């Protein structure tokens, strides 16, 4: 009791570091990279200041820069030159993600980089949805999509990816991908599943970057209702049973309660995606002089780690790594 107990005693100077409960390091970070085979020079994403789409030939240099900052892994998203109804350019041997992975893997300076690839169809389809579509019913078809995701994951592994990350929220996607990887002698390639991915308004800037806006309807039939918490536990449990090695919560900041529950109850390696809308809001406020950008970045990333994330996929990865240095 006061005055014997004074909580302020340990808030003085360097003493704070002795009792710090949550510590961030660059090893906690995964840096997203957009690779676009339609451009010849880097292009800034208008709704994501400081984030660029890169030509395929720039991928290895970008990976080296990220590695030099101490960040151990990247997530590659592709923007293809060709789209069709089935998203067939997602799984070809010489498509945008596959070429970028090979470029990075063949570059001596970035061989220690862990390359993760996003496995989805939305960037590659003319309709912008994450699966095969029945236009008459305006319905996204779950089961016909699964073998396409499996083919895509195998093509990424063949190109040299260290881990694949299915993000389409199709039921059974982890089992389908695990089977295809195993059947093609990639049983040691792990799966990071977007297991609890919500139907969120925070994805808008990403769709600008990845050119993956949908032409009809929305994604509420296959992404999770933002009102639901217990459903997230069920989704994650199913993906674990199907063979997921890492599970992910997306978005991060509006769903810290979900992140905490998943880590606490299921005790799995858990990732959180600090998404484009979260990034854009902070950037916009900082540019208007309303907030201290560096302090907000640090506080935001710390809150995600404190809630239970073992790894954080964030567009602030390079900024955060520089702050830590």
């Amino acid at each position: 009791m006061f005055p014997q107990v004074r909580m302020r005693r340990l808030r003085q100077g360097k003493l704070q570091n002795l009792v710090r409960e949550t510590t961030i390091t660059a090893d906690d970070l995964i840096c997203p990279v957009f690779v676009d085979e339609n451009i010849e020079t880097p292009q800034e994403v208008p709704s994501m200041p400081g984030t660029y789409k890169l030509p395929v030939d720039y991928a290895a240099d970008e990976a080296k820069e990220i590695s030099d900052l101490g960040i151990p892994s990247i997530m590659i998203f592709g923007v293809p030159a060709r789209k069709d109804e089935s998203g067939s350019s997602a799984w070809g041997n010489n498509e945008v993600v596959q070429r970028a992975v090979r470029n990075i893997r063949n570059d001596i300076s970035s061989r220690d980089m862990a390359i993760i690839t996003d496995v989805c169809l939305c960037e590659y389809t003319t309709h912008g949805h994450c699966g095969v579509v029945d236009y008459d019913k305006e319905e996204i078809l779950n089961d016909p999509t699964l073998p396409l995701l499996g083919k895509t994951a195998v093509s990424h592994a063949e190109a040299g990816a260290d881990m694949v990350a299915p993000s389409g929220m199709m039921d059974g996607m982890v089992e389908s991908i695990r089977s295809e990887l195993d059947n093609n002698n990639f049983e040691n390639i792990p799966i990071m599943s977007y297991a609890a991915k919500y139907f969120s308004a925070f994805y808008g800037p990403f769709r600008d970057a990845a050119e993956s806006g949908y032409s009809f309807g929305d994604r509420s039939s296959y992404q999770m209702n933002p009102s639901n918490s217990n459903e997230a536990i069920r989704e994650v449990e199913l993906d674990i049973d199907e063979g997921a090695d890492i599970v992910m919560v997306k978005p991060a900041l509006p769903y810290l309660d979900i992140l905490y529950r998943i880590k606490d109850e299921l005790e799995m390696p858990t990732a959180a995606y600090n998404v484009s809308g979260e990034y854009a809001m902070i950037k916009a406020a900082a540019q208007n002089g309303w907030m201290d950008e560096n302090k907000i970045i640090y506080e935001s990333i710390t809150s995600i780690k404190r809630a239970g994330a073992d790894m954080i996929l964030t567009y602030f990865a390079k900024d955060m790594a520089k702050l830590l240095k």
Side-chain angles (χ1 to χ4, degrees):
M1 299 292 293
F2 179 82
Q4 286 78 20
V5 176
R6 293 178 180 267
M7 297 299 291
R8 293 177 60 181
R9 288 184 186 129
L10 296 180
R11 296 174 187 155
Q12 302 176 56
K14 294 181 180 179
L15 293 179
Q16 294 188 54
N17 291 334
L18 293 176
V19 294
R20 182 189 302 274
E21 298 176 24
T22 304
T23 301
I24 305 292
T25 72
D27 285 337
D28 298 318
L29 306 174
I30 302 171
C31 188
V33 176
F34 293 104
V35 182
D36 187 340
E37 62 183 352
N38 301 290
I39 59 177
E40 295 182 357
T41 58
Q43 293 184 1
E44 188 173 27
V45 180
S47 56
M48 300 176 67
T51 297
Y52 290 81
K53 295 193 291 184
L54 304 173
V56 175
D57 292 342
Y58 281 58
D61 289 340
E62 178 71 4
K64 182 181 184 304
E65 178 183 341
I66 293 167
S67 179
D68 288 346
L69 287 169
I71 300 169
S73 56
I74 59 175
M75 175 87 81
I76 298 180
F77 299 89
V79 181
R82 177 181 57 84
K83 300 188 179 192
D84 58 31
E85 290 189 7
S86 64
S88 62
S89 57
W91 59 78
N93 289 330
N94 200 37
E95 304 295 350
V96 56
V97 168
Q98 292 80 353
R99 289 164 56 204
V101 170
R102 284 196 297 270
N103 285 353
I104 296 168
R105 185 58 65 221
N106 292 334
D107 186 86
I108 294 175
S109 63
S110 56
R111 284 185 182 171
D112 291 335
M113 173 68 68
I115 304 173
I116 309 168
T117 55
D118 179 73
V119 177
C120 196
L121 301 181
C122 60
E123 299 103 314
Y124 306 92
T125 56
T126 49
H127 47 73
H129 280 288
C130 300
V132 176
V133 164
D134 181 333
Y135 280 102
D136 292 334
K137 297 180 180 179
E138 289 196 347
E139 180 182 352
I140 292 80
L141 304 177
N142 190 94
D143 292 9
T145 301
L146 299 180
L148 306 184
L149 296 176
K151 288 199 296 185
T152 301
V154 169
S155 73
H156 291 179
E158 288 174 340
D162 297 291
M163 180 158 58
V164 295
S167 60
M169 285 296 285
M170 296 292 127
D171 294 335
M173 65 182 184
V174 173
E175 180 178 357
S176 180
I177 290 171
R178 183 73 273 157
S179 295
E180 284 300 307
L181 289 171
D182 291 355
N183 291 338
N184 285 274
N185 299 316
F186 291 114
E187 61 275 359
N188 290 323
I189 297 294
I191 297 173
M192 173 193 284
S193 175
Y194 290 61
K197 180 178 179 179
Y198 282 85
F199 175 59
S200 173
F202 283 88
Y203 304 148
F206 174 90
R207 293 181 186 133
D208 292 340
E211 300 178 16
S212 60
Y214 33 81
S215 61
F216 67 88
D218 58 34
R219 294 175 180 161
S220 60
S221 67
Y222 50 99
Q223 294 176 354
M224 286 181 53
N225 186 329
S227 301
N228 294 353
S229 175
N230 291 333
E231 182 186 359
I233 301 299
R234 292 186 65 198
E235 283 279 11
V236 173
E237 286 178 330
L238 286 167
D239 282 6
I240 293 170
D241 290 343
E242 291 177 17
D245 300 281
I246 300 171
V247 294
M248 183 191 291
V249 176
K250 179 183 180 182
L253 294 175
Y255 298 92
L256 294 179
D257 60 319
I258 306 300
L259 175 60
Y260 178 83
R261 280 197 66 187
I262 288 170
K263 185 61 182 178
D264 183 59
E265 295 179 27
L266 302 178
E267 299 181 341
M268 279 287 290
T270 305
Y273 197 153
N274 183 213
V275 299
S276 60
E278 299 168 59
Y279 174 90
M281 288 192 304
I282 292 173
K283 283 290 187 180
Q287 288 181 347
N288 279 283
W290 297 337
M291 296 190 300
D292 184 312
E293 181 175 349
N294 287 343
K295 289 182 179 179
I296 292 295
I297 293 171
Y298 196 93
E299 186 175 344
S300 298
I301 301 301
T302 299
S303 75
I304 299 169
K305 179 72 179 291
R306 189 181 64 243
D310 299 295
M311 60 209 79
I312 303 166
L313 178 61
T314 175
Y315 301 98
F316 287 120
K318 292 197 287 186
D319 292 335
M320 189 65 184
K322 292 172 184 176
L323 288 175
L324 292 171
K325 284 195 172 186

